[in-house]
Short mmCIF file of all heavy atoms in Angstrom, two decimals:
data_model
loop_
_atom_site.label_atom_id
_atom_site.label_comp_id
_atom_site.label_asym_id
_atom_site.label_seq_id
_atom_site.Cartn_x
_atom_site.Cartn_y
_atom_site.Cartn_z
N LEU A 148 0.84 -1.18 0.00
CA LEU A 148 0.00 0.00 0.00
C LEU A 148 0.88 1.24 0.00
O LEU A 148 1.95 1.24 0.62
CB LEU A 148 -0.90 0.03 1.24
CG LEU A 148 -1.88 -1.13 1.38
CD1 LEU A 148 -2.71 -0.95 2.65
CD2 LEU A 148 -2.78 -1.26 0.17
N ASP A 149 0.40 2.28 -0.68
CA ASP A 149 1.14 3.53 -0.61
C ASP A 149 0.78 4.21 0.72
O ASP A 149 0.01 3.67 1.52
CB ASP A 149 0.89 4.41 -1.83
CG ASP A 149 -0.53 4.96 -1.91
OD1 ASP A 149 -1.28 4.93 -0.90
OD2 ASP A 149 -0.91 5.44 -3.00
N TYR A 150 1.30 5.38 0.95
CA TYR A 150 1.12 6.00 2.27
C TYR A 150 -0.20 6.75 2.42
O TYR A 150 -0.43 7.40 3.41
CB TYR A 150 2.34 6.86 2.60
CG TYR A 150 3.54 5.96 2.80
CD1 TYR A 150 4.47 5.77 1.79
CD2 TYR A 150 3.68 5.24 3.97
CE1 TYR A 150 5.52 4.90 1.96
CE2 TYR A 150 4.73 4.37 4.15
CZ TYR A 150 5.65 4.20 3.14
OH TYR A 150 6.70 3.33 3.30
N THR A 151 -1.09 6.58 1.43
CA THR A 151 -2.46 7.05 1.60
C THR A 151 -3.40 5.87 1.82
O THR A 151 -4.59 6.04 2.00
CB THR A 151 -2.93 7.86 0.37
OG1 THR A 151 -3.00 6.99 -0.76
CG2 THR A 151 -2.01 9.04 0.09
N GLY A 152 -2.85 4.63 1.78
CA GLY A 152 -3.64 3.43 2.01
C GLY A 152 -4.15 2.76 0.76
O GLY A 152 -4.91 1.80 0.83
N LYS A 153 -3.72 3.22 -0.42
CA LYS A 153 -4.16 2.65 -1.69
C LYS A 153 -3.15 1.63 -2.19
O LYS A 153 -1.94 1.82 -2.03
CB LYS A 153 -4.35 3.75 -2.73
CG LYS A 153 -5.42 4.74 -2.34
CD LYS A 153 -5.50 5.85 -3.35
CE LYS A 153 -6.48 6.90 -2.86
NZ LYS A 153 -6.30 8.17 -3.53
N PRO A 154 -3.61 0.54 -2.84
CA PRO A 154 -2.68 -0.44 -3.41
C PRO A 154 -1.75 0.22 -4.43
O PRO A 154 -2.16 1.12 -5.16
CB PRO A 154 -3.59 -1.46 -4.09
CG PRO A 154 -4.90 -1.31 -3.40
CD PRO A 154 -5.01 0.14 -3.03
N THR A 155 -0.51 -0.24 -4.46
CA THR A 155 0.46 0.31 -5.40
C THR A 155 1.34 -0.81 -5.95
O THR A 155 1.58 -1.80 -5.28
CB THR A 155 1.35 1.39 -4.72
OG1 THR A 155 2.26 1.89 -5.70
CG2 THR A 155 2.14 0.83 -3.55
N ALA A 156 1.79 -0.62 -7.18
CA ALA A 156 2.70 -1.58 -7.80
C ALA A 156 4.14 -1.12 -7.66
O ALA A 156 5.06 -1.79 -8.09
CB ALA A 156 2.35 -1.74 -9.27
N TYR A 157 4.34 0.06 -7.07
CA TYR A 157 5.69 0.60 -6.92
C TYR A 157 6.38 0.01 -5.71
O TYR A 157 5.77 -0.58 -4.84
CB TYR A 157 5.63 2.13 -6.84
CG TYR A 157 5.05 2.74 -8.08
CD1 TYR A 157 3.75 3.23 -8.07
CD2 TYR A 157 5.77 2.77 -9.26
CE1 TYR A 157 3.20 3.79 -9.22
CE2 TYR A 157 5.22 3.31 -10.42
CZ TYR A 157 3.94 3.81 -10.38
OH TYR A 157 3.40 4.34 -11.52
N SER A 158 7.68 0.19 -5.65
CA SER A 158 8.44 -0.44 -4.57
C SER A 158 8.27 0.25 -3.23
O SER A 158 8.48 -0.35 -2.20
CB SER A 158 9.92 -0.49 -4.94
OG SER A 158 10.41 0.82 -5.12
N TYR A 159 7.87 1.53 -3.21
CA TYR A 159 7.74 2.22 -1.94
C TYR A 159 6.35 2.00 -1.36
O TYR A 159 5.37 1.91 -2.08
CB TYR A 159 8.00 3.72 -2.10
CG TYR A 159 9.35 3.98 -2.69
CD1 TYR A 159 9.48 4.63 -3.90
CD2 TYR A 159 10.49 3.53 -2.06
CE1 TYR A 159 10.72 4.85 -4.46
CE2 TYR A 159 11.74 3.74 -2.61
CZ TYR A 159 11.84 4.40 -3.81
OH TYR A 159 13.06 4.60 -4.35
N GLY A 160 6.27 1.93 -0.06
CA GLY A 160 5.01 1.73 0.61
C GLY A 160 5.19 0.79 1.78
O GLY A 160 6.31 0.60 2.27
N PHE A 161 4.09 0.20 2.23
CA PHE A 161 4.19 -0.69 3.38
C PHE A 161 3.31 -1.91 3.18
O PHE A 161 2.40 -1.93 2.37
CB PHE A 161 3.81 0.05 4.67
CG PHE A 161 2.35 0.41 4.78
CD1 PHE A 161 1.49 -0.41 5.48
CD2 PHE A 161 1.85 1.55 4.19
CE1 PHE A 161 0.15 -0.09 5.59
CE2 PHE A 161 0.51 1.89 4.30
CZ PHE A 161 -0.35 1.06 5.00
N SER A 162 3.64 -2.95 3.93
CA SER A 162 2.88 -4.19 3.94
C SER A 162 3.11 -4.83 5.30
O SER A 162 3.69 -4.23 6.19
CB SER A 162 3.30 -5.11 2.79
OG SER A 162 4.66 -5.48 2.93
N CYS A 163 2.65 -6.04 5.45
CA CYS A 163 2.82 -6.79 6.69
C CYS A 163 3.69 -8.00 6.35
O CYS A 163 3.45 -8.68 5.35
CB CYS A 163 1.44 -7.21 7.21
SG CYS A 163 1.45 -7.93 8.87
N ALA A 164 4.70 -8.25 7.15
CA ALA A 164 5.65 -9.30 6.80
C ALA A 164 6.32 -9.88 8.04
O ALA A 164 6.27 -9.30 9.12
CB ALA A 164 6.72 -8.75 5.87
N CYS A 165 6.96 -11.01 7.84
CA CYS A 165 7.80 -11.63 8.86
C CYS A 165 9.23 -11.70 8.35
O CYS A 165 9.46 -11.97 7.17
CB CYS A 165 7.32 -13.03 9.21
SG CYS A 165 5.71 -13.07 10.01
N VAL A 166 10.17 -11.44 9.24
CA VAL A 166 11.59 -11.53 8.94
C VAL A 166 12.17 -12.61 9.82
O VAL A 166 12.05 -12.54 11.04
CB VAL A 166 12.31 -10.19 9.20
CG1 VAL A 166 13.81 -10.33 8.96
CG2 VAL A 166 11.73 -9.07 8.36
N GLU A 167 12.74 -13.61 9.20
CA GLU A 167 13.45 -14.65 9.96
C GLU A 167 14.93 -14.33 9.89
O GLU A 167 15.46 -14.04 8.81
CB GLU A 167 13.18 -16.02 9.36
CG GLU A 167 11.74 -16.44 9.47
CD GLU A 167 11.45 -17.75 8.74
OE1 GLU A 167 12.39 -18.57 8.56
OE2 GLU A 167 10.29 -17.94 8.35
N GLY A 168 15.59 -14.35 11.03
CA GLY A 168 17.01 -14.03 11.05
C GLY A 168 17.56 -14.03 12.46
O GLY A 168 16.97 -14.62 13.36
N GLU A 169 18.69 -13.37 12.60
CA GLU A 169 19.33 -13.26 13.91
C GLU A 169 19.30 -11.81 14.34
O GLU A 169 19.62 -10.91 13.57
CB GLU A 169 20.77 -13.78 13.84
CG GLU A 169 20.84 -15.27 13.59
CD GLU A 169 22.26 -15.79 13.64
OE1 GLU A 169 23.17 -15.08 14.12
OE2 GLU A 169 22.46 -16.92 13.18
N PHE A 170 18.90 -11.60 15.59
CA PHE A 170 18.75 -10.27 16.16
C PHE A 170 19.47 -10.24 17.50
O PHE A 170 19.47 -11.23 18.22
CB PHE A 170 17.27 -9.95 16.38
CG PHE A 170 16.44 -10.06 15.14
CD1 PHE A 170 15.95 -11.28 14.71
CD2 PHE A 170 16.14 -8.94 14.40
CE1 PHE A 170 15.18 -11.39 13.55
CE2 PHE A 170 15.36 -9.02 13.25
CZ PHE A 170 14.88 -10.26 12.83
N ARG A 171 20.05 -9.10 17.83
CA ARG A 171 20.64 -8.93 19.15
C ARG A 171 20.48 -7.46 19.54
O ARG A 171 20.82 -6.58 18.77
CB ARG A 171 22.12 -9.29 19.18
CG ARG A 171 22.67 -9.16 20.62
CD ARG A 171 24.15 -9.41 20.79
NE ARG A 171 24.59 -10.65 20.25
CZ ARG A 171 25.72 -10.79 19.53
NH1 ARG A 171 26.48 -9.74 19.28
NH2 ARG A 171 26.08 -11.95 19.08
N GLY A 172 19.97 -7.23 20.74
CA GLY A 172 19.73 -5.86 21.17
C GLY A 172 18.74 -5.20 20.23
O GLY A 172 17.63 -5.70 20.06
N ASP A 173 19.14 -4.13 19.59
CA ASP A 173 18.29 -3.47 18.60
C ASP A 173 18.84 -3.60 17.19
O ASP A 173 18.53 -2.83 16.30
CB ASP A 173 18.09 -2.00 18.97
CG ASP A 173 19.40 -1.22 18.95
OD1 ASP A 173 20.48 -1.83 18.79
OD2 ASP A 173 19.35 0.01 19.10
N GLU A 174 19.66 -4.62 16.97
CA GLU A 174 20.37 -4.78 15.70
C GLU A 174 19.93 -6.05 14.98
O GLU A 174 19.73 -7.11 15.58
CB GLU A 174 21.87 -4.86 15.99
CG GLU A 174 22.72 -4.89 14.77
CD GLU A 174 24.20 -4.94 15.12
OE1 GLU A 174 24.56 -4.93 16.30
OE2 GLU A 174 25.00 -5.00 14.18
N VAL A 175 19.80 -5.94 13.65
CA VAL A 175 19.56 -7.10 12.79
C VAL A 175 20.93 -7.63 12.37
O VAL A 175 21.66 -6.97 11.65
CB VAL A 175 18.74 -6.72 11.54
CG1 VAL A 175 18.51 -7.95 10.67
CG2 VAL A 175 17.43 -6.05 11.93
N LEU A 176 21.28 -8.82 12.85
CA LEU A 176 22.59 -9.39 12.51
C LEU A 176 22.58 -10.10 11.17
O LEU A 176 23.57 -10.10 10.46
CB LEU A 176 23.04 -10.35 13.61
CG LEU A 176 23.21 -9.74 15.00
CD1 LEU A 176 23.64 -10.82 15.99
CD2 LEU A 176 24.20 -8.60 14.98
N SER A 177 21.44 -10.73 10.84
CA SER A 177 21.32 -11.40 9.54
C SER A 177 19.86 -11.66 9.23
O SER A 177 19.03 -11.76 10.14
CB SER A 177 22.10 -12.72 9.52
OG SER A 177 21.50 -13.66 10.38
N VAL A 178 19.56 -11.75 7.94
CA VAL A 178 18.22 -12.06 7.46
C VAL A 178 18.31 -13.35 6.68
O VAL A 178 19.10 -13.46 5.74
CB VAL A 178 17.67 -10.93 6.57
CG1 VAL A 178 16.32 -11.32 5.97
CG2 VAL A 178 17.56 -9.63 7.36
N ALA A 179 17.51 -14.33 7.06
CA ALA A 179 17.50 -15.61 6.35
C ALA A 179 16.31 -15.71 5.40
O ALA A 179 16.42 -16.31 4.34
CB ALA A 179 17.44 -16.76 7.35
N ARG A 180 15.19 -15.08 5.78
CA ARG A 180 13.98 -15.22 4.96
C ARG A 180 13.02 -14.08 5.26
O ARG A 180 12.90 -13.63 6.39
CB ARG A 180 13.31 -16.55 5.30
CG ARG A 180 12.09 -16.85 4.49
CD ARG A 180 11.57 -18.25 4.81
NE ARG A 180 10.36 -18.46 4.05
CZ ARG A 180 9.28 -19.08 4.51
NH1 ARG A 180 9.28 -19.55 5.73
NH2 ARG A 180 8.23 -19.22 3.76
#
């Protein structure tokens, strides 16, 4: 979605996702998926 809440085909905007990886403190050490 773009930042007005409308669907967009462009790379900028937001969605809901999960990141699998290694985290420590407030740092992303690696992303696996």
Side-chain angles (χ1 to χ4, degrees):
L148 298 181
D149 68 16
Y150 292 100
T151 66
K153 297 176 186 161
T155 181
Y157 298 105
S158 61
Y159 304 118
F161 69 96
S162 63
C163 189
C165 293
V166 177
E167 296 174 25
E169 293 185 15
F170 303 83
R171 183 184 307 137
D173 62 353
E174 185 179 359
V175 180
L176 299 179
S177 68
V178 175
R180 183 175 178 220

